[in-house]
Amino acid sequence: MAHLIGMSASVKGRKFNVDSDTVRIGRRTGNPIVLDEPSISGTHCVITRTGGCFVLTDLDSTNGTRLNGAPVHEARLNPKDILQIGNVELMFDGDDVEADQATVAAPRGIEFSPELARGPAEFQNGSPFKARNERRHLKIWIVLIGLVLLSIIGGVVYYIIQIFSTGT
């Protein structure tokens, strides 16, 4: 039977069976596989089975779906493939999974193992929004520092005016 094995800290070691022809994955409780993570859409993606062939399809999710590190909209799954759904990584495997020989024969470059799985906090480093958030925070700090400096200068100017006005 095909299944997904949790690799990320929040689902590490958990096994999710892909035991019907259509298995929806998402945060919403009506899905056969529920992953209660903020980075996952209500109905994020679906795995469809035709015989021994399994296809992963992203359902226009907010944070996207990745397969072996590459963003995908639809792709055939092979044993040991790594799915990233939002910030959650899962390994796809099973005895009844037919491997796509063209894909399996191509070098993947990295061997994945549950021992090397990363937790959700480490996925923030790979977020496409991280740089934008850092720039936004930098702008806020610059504005705050500017306001503090203006307040200090204003206070000094007010103090000088008070000294000269009382001295005459």
Side-chain angles (χ1 to χ4, degrees), residues 43-147:
T43 304
H44 196 99
C45 61
V46 63
I47 296 176
T48 311
R49 177 178 64 188
T50 306
C53 177
F54 293 82
V55 176
L56 171 69
T57 305
D58 182 75
L59 299 174
D60 296 323
S61 61
T62 303
N63 291 317
T65 303
R66 299 174 82 77
L67 181 61
N68 298 320
V72 295
H73 176 70
E74 187 170 274
R76 182 168 176 180
L77 294 172
N78 290 301
K80 309 296 185 209
D81 275 347
I82 302 297
L83 288 67
Q84 184 179 341
I85 301 168
N87 289 341
V88 175
E89 275 193 350
L90 304 162
M91 181 177 66
F92 178 77
D93 205 3
D95 299 332
D96 60 344
V97 179
E98 291 177 10
D100 179 7
Q101 295 305 317
T103 308
V104 173
R108 293 191 179 171
I110 300 175
E111 281 297 317
F112 294 97
S113 68
E115 294 78 29
L116 299 176
R118 298 172 286 177
E122 290 148 330
F123 279 103
Q124 295 301 321
N125 295 335
S127 171
F129 304 108
K130 185 178 182 202
R132 183 173 66 190
N133 288 338
E134 287 176 351
R135 285 191 302 270
R136 185 179 301 148
H137 290 158
L138 179 63
K139 289 177 185 177
I140 291 171
W141 276 109
I142 290 171
V143 168
L144 288 174
I145 291 170
L147 289 173

